[in-house]
Amino acid sequence: MKNLLKKIVITNIIMMLIVVPCLAKRNHVTIAGSTTVLPIAQATAEIFMDNNPEINISVRGGGSSVGIASIMAGTVDIGNASRHIKNKELLAARESGINPVEHIVANDGIAVVLHKDNSVKALTMAQVKDIYTGEIQNWKELGGKNMPIVVISRDVSSGTFEVFNKLVLKGAKSIDGALMLASNNAVVTTISSTPGAIGYAGLGYVTKRIKAVTIDGIMPTVKTIQSKEYPISRTLHMYTNGTPKGLVKQYIDFVLSAEGQNIVEELGFVKVD
Amino acid sequence: MKKSILLLMFILSIICSLTAKTKLKMELWNRWTYQTEDGVLKKNEMALKRGYFRLEPTFGNNIKGRFNLDFYSDDDSPTGAGMKLKYAYLDFNNLFPVKDLKLTAGLMKTYFGTIYSWDYTTIEKDPSDKYKFVSSTDYGVGLSGYFPKGFGTYQSAVYNGEGYKKTGDDLNKDMNFLVNTRITPIPGITVGGSFMMKTAKDSEIADSTGTMINNPDREEFMQFAGVGKFAYGPAKLLVQFLNQTKSKPNQNDYDDVTKTVISLMPTFKINNSFDLVARYDIYDPNTDAENDGKSLLLLGTNYYIMRDAKNKPKLFIQANYEIETPEDSEKDPLNTIMVQLRWIFSNKI
């Protein structure tokens, strides 16, 4: 009898060790990556969990490169990115048996932003490039005050940096003195307290603390981004390993649903067409 | 003189890096090796097997460099320590109107087999390196690119042919030529091949009268590598077949020598902290000779103490047990235990 009880206890412990992690895994979705996509992921995850209390979604940032790397490593269910996956990354993933599938969850514009008291209101693409490459170093060269320009950029793991570098800088090297920051929030915070600063961030991060300027005469708005009139526009992505299933599919379907897209819009991004 | 040149290059790289965005990286391998043969202790050594000092300057988006010094300190070094220049090359991107195609020039990777992407999942060297098919780097110029949609990669290069550490009589004036490709038609299945033509010793030498004659010691090599990589969930398998044929074109009676290697390397990821690794090599230095080959059996584990945000290992321990068994049954196997602590750190300056 005693031995029987012992066997039952051991069996139950083993079963628990097997079943509990499986259950935990089944009810849990992990997301990491782009700081631009982060507010979308956080807000939609919160509503999704409210609607599905038995499900837990954990969301963290790190940058687009981290999001894609995490999908490749199999450490998250969804990797967020504000840029497309690179061919090199795609190959490395496929060699490892990972099949990254892209889901466009929002459209976005990269707003060029200045301190709210800066008198400059309009820039051209060429002028922005000249600022970031050091060809223009004082706001008076642009009709503003006699004030040195403080260039703020993003860390190279950022998808926002990748897109800005491609569309605006055309691969040119940023000025050595550029301040490289890790997130959109950091950019906004730094610009709001630095009168001579210029930076760039996703449209959803533009607040009253800073101001966006027109680029080639176009202001970044939902309308101009949707129409692709604004020249620094992009898509925002969630990557999964293969076609999503189960909870991951439910969550992504929610993000792409009317309710999810309303959240996207409320956050200042642009709905998927 | 060589040390002065290395020092000069090092200084130049520092100056150069200060004018570009530069990533600095250091990787160190602290290793204990315990080796016995027929019960006799042959080696019991603690050493710094590798100390890679790397600078990666970026000159805008289209030009990137890599400068790598390889430090080591072990019992095998004549002075107890040494240094080699491992990489010194530039990548030129977007030079041609082909997406992702880049030109590389300098002391660069040798794109043969898996040597150029070997990440030392086991402590043991890549088969191409271990069995002396190629040196891991060489002075050269090459093109490399990607097939669309992650379907593969390709390289073509011309090399000096002397590697990065060869000196002496094997130097010659001829270039080595290489092509390499890998294809991933389905996620988890990769197949590829490399083909290389290389030479040793000059084709002609001067006789006692100063007249140029055919060099009887001239060697020509044709070698290829077939690679298969298979990944399914936590399990991976790397399969390689290497073949080299050596000929002496200036000796009429010389029989070509063919060297082959078959290598199988399965790995299993238990979780994000532990891997199990194994490897089995069959090496035959001359397919026409008997009892001259050997086999290698390796079992090991990796314990990842720390990873970065991108899940790349930063601090980990590797433990390997190897049995190297000669084909000649009259010779004794070589048993080796290796335990290695690898640590990696990087920063941007």
Side-chain angles (χ1 to χ4, degrees):
Chain A
M1 185 59 182
K2 190 174 180 180
N3 285 337
L4 179 61
L5 286 174
K6 187 175 179 181
K7 288 179 181 178
I8 292 171
V9 169
I10 292 172
T11 302
N12 282 332
I13 290 172
I14 293 172
M15 290 298 293
M16 284 179 66
L17 289 173
I18 295 170
V19 171
V20 170
C22 293
L23 288 174
K25 177 70 176 178
R26 207 174 295 140
N27 290 331
H28 191 78
V29 175
T30 55
I31 305 172
S34 167
T35 60
T36 303
V37 183
L38 182 63
I40 295 173
Q42 287 175 330
T44 52
E46 187 175 335
I47 300 300
F48 186 80
M49 286 189 285
D50 285 346
N51 296 339
N52 302 276
E54 76 284 5
I55 296 170
N56 181 264
I57 301 177
S58 62
V59 184
R60 56 184 171 87
S64 296
S65 294
V66 168
I68 292 171
S70 297
I71 275 288
M72 290 167 58
T75 55
V76 297
D77 299 301
I78 298 171
N80 292 333
S82 59
R83 61 166 172 84
H84 293 290
I85 191 170
K86 299 174 185 175
N87 210 1
K88 182 178 181 179
E89 293 166 328
L90 185 56
L91 176 61
R94 294 179 88 250
E95 282 193 359
S96 297
I98 304 292
N99 183 26
V101 171
E102 181 183 273
H103 308 271
I104 297 175
V105 297
N107 294 301
D108 185 33
I110 297 175
V112 176
V113 290
L114 316 179
H115 189 275
K116 61 184 173 61
D117 294 333
N118 194 319
S119 59
V120 174
K121 296 180 180 179
L123 294 170
T124 66
M125 289 278 266
Q127 287 171 331
V128 177
K129 180 180 178 183
D130 286 346
I131 290 168
Y132 272 81
T133 56
E135 296 295 322
I136 297 175
Q137 297 190 17
N138 194 297
W139 286 111
K140 70 180 181 182
E141 298 177 61
L142 299 164
K145 295 179 180 178
N146 183 9
M147 179 169 56
I149 298 176
V150 178
V151 175
I152 294 172
S153 188
R154 291 290 307 279
D155 185 81
V156 294
S157 67
S158 160
T160 306
F161 167 82
E162 294 264 354
V163 176
F164 185 83
N165 186 52
K166 180 178 179 182
L167 297 181
V168 181
L169 301 186
K170 310 294 185 186
K173 178 175 162 292
S174 296
I175 189 171
D176 285 340
L179 184 59
M180 312 299 279
L181 301 180
S183 69
N184 287 286
N185 268 330
V187 170
V188 171
T189 299
T190 303
I191 291 174
S192 67
S193 61
T194 310
I198 182 172
Y200 53 89
L203 183 66
Y205 282 88
V206 177
T207 66
K208 293 179 180 178
R209 299 162 62 196
I210 56 177
K211 73 174 189 181
V213 296
T214 63
I215 301 297
D216 289 341
I218 309 296
M219 180 66 76
T221 65
V222 170
K223 185 178 178 182
T224 59
I225 291 165
Q226 205 150 41
S227 68
K228 297 183 171 43
E229 192 181 359
Y230 183 68
I232 322 176
S233 300
R234 58 181 173 174
T235 50
L236 304 180
H237 321 98
M238 292 184 172
Y239 284 94
T240 56
N241 175 14
T243 303
K245 300 173 183 176
L247 293 184
V248 176
K249 180 181 188 320
Q250 288 178 45
Y251 169 70
I252 289 182
D253 285 347
F254 174 76
V255 175
L256 295 173
S257 71
E259 186 178 1
Q261 290 299 294
N262 284 338
I263 296 169
V264 164
E265 199 164 52
E266 287 167 8
L267 293 169
F269 298 96
V270 180
K271 288 180 179 180
V272 176
D273 295 334
Chain B
M1 182 60 179
K2 190 171 183 180
K3 290 182 179 179
S4 299
I5 292 172
L6 287 177
L7 181 60
L8 177 61
M9 293 186 74
F10 179 73
I11 293 170
L12 287 174
S13 72
I14 293 292
I15 295 171
C16 198
S17 67
L18 294 176
T19 62
K21 295 189 186 303
T22 301
K23 182 178 179 182
L24 182 152
K25 183 176 178 181
M26 193 85 190
E27 180 171 346
L28 297 111
W29 304 359
N30 299 106
R31 186 187 299 177
W32 171 61
T33 305
Y34 186 86
Q35 194 172 71
T36 63
E37 185 175 24
D38 190 29
V40 177
L41 180 61
K42 295 178 70 70
K43 182 179 282 188
N44 188 9
E45 176 198 45
M46 299 182 76
L48 176 72
K49 277 297 184 180
R50 285 286 185 275
Y52 288 121
F53 173 74
R54 182 188 298 178
L55 290 171
E56 295 180 9
T58 301
F59 307 90
N61 201 40
N62 294 323
I63 305 176
K64 298 181 179 179
R66 185 165 166 180
F67 180 85
N68 224 83
L69 283 178
D70 178 3
F71 300 94
Y72 51 92
S73 174
D74 57 25
D75 292 349
D76 298 328
S77 307
T79 58
M83 181 175 68
K84 299 170 186 170
L85 181 62
K86 188 72 179 288
Y87 294 117
Y89 65 82
L90 286 175
D91 282 328
F92 298 88
N93 300 287
N94 296 316
L95 203 62
F96 308 100
V98 178
K99 188 179 180 184
D100 293 325
L101 183 66
K102 69 180 179 182
L103 173 73
T104 302
L107 183 57
M108 55 188 266
K109 295 177 181 179
T110 306
Y111 290 97
F112 185 84
T114 55
I115 197 169
Y116 63 98
S117 58
W118 194 251
D119 58 2
Y120 287 91
T121 302
T122 69
I123 298 176
E124 192 56 76
K125 293 177 179 178
D126 175 86
S128 298
D129 193 1
K130 181 175 176 63
Y131 302 110
K132 300 189 182 346
F133 281 73
V134 294
S135 177
S136 58
T137 66
D138 199 351
Y139 292 90
V141 177
L143 291 172
S144 59
Y146 294 89
F147 298 118
K149 298 182 180 179
F151 273 86
T153 183
Y154 59 88
Q155 293 85 21
S156 176
V158 177
Y159 297 98
N160 255 2
E162 279 79 52
Y164 68 104
K165 54 189 175 181
K166 191 184 290 185
T167 57
D169 293 340
D170 281 353
L171 299 178
N172 65 18
K173 304 179 188 66
D174 299 314
M175 294 293 168
N176 290 2
F177 302 93
L178 176 144
V179 291
N180 176 69
T181 188
R182 282 186 195 170
I183 305 294
T184 306
I186 301 170
I189 297 178
T190 300
V191 294
S194 312
F195 177 73
M196 188 175 200
M197 296 172 59
K198 67 178 191 178
T199 60
K201 301 176 175 64
D202 279 323
S203 182
E204 294 185 335
I205 57 173
D207 66 9
S208 58
T209 66
T211 304
M212 300 304 292
I213 62 171
N214 287 336
N215 182 2
D217 293 326
R218 164 75 167 193
E219 296 173 337
E220 294 181 352
F221 302 85
M222 306 274 280
Q223 57 189 37
F224 69 87
V227 176
K229 296 171 70 175
F230 310 98
Y232 184 76
K236 294 182 180 178
L237 175 65
L238 173 62
V239 181
Q240 291 193 65
F241 176 71
L242 308 177
N243 182 287
Q244 181 194 79
T245 301
K246 179 174 79 170
S247 62
K248 292 192 176 183
N250 296 331
Q251 289 189 25
N252 293 330
D253 58 349
Y254 182 81
D255 288 332
D256 293 351
V257 176
T258 299
K259 176 166 78 171
T260 62
V261 175
I262 297 172
S263 177
L264 305 173
M265 194 175 90
T267 61
F268 189 86
K269 180 179 177 181
I270 298 175
N271 54 40
N272 213 36
S273 296
F274 277 101
D275 289 343
L276 295 179
V277 297
R279 177 170 160 178
Y280 184 65
D281 293 353
I282 302 172
Y283 168 61
D284 189 347
N286 185 343
T287 55
D288 291 330
E290 299 291 331
N291 293 329
D292 61 341
K294 60 185 176 182
S295 66
L296 169 73
L297 176 64
L298 180 154
L299 299 172
T301 185
N302 299 324
Y303 171 52
Y304 301 99
I305 302 169
M306 186 179 291
R307 294 179 182 267
D308 67 10
K310 296 183 182 179
N311 209 51
K312 292 182 179 179
K314 290 299 180 184
L315 177 62
F316 59 112
I317 298 173
Q318 298 178 285
N320 286 182
Y321 174 62
E322 292 185 11
I323 306 173
E324 201 166 274
T325 307
E327 186 179 0
D328 187 346
S329 58
E330 294 186 7
K331 296 179 180 177
D332 295 311
L334 191 65
N335 295 271
T336 308
I337 296 171
M338 291 186 283
V339 180
Q340 180 165 271
L341 176 66
R342 283 172 69 176
W343 42 301
I344 305 162
F345 57 91
S346 63
N347 207 343
K348 291 171 184 173
I349 57 178

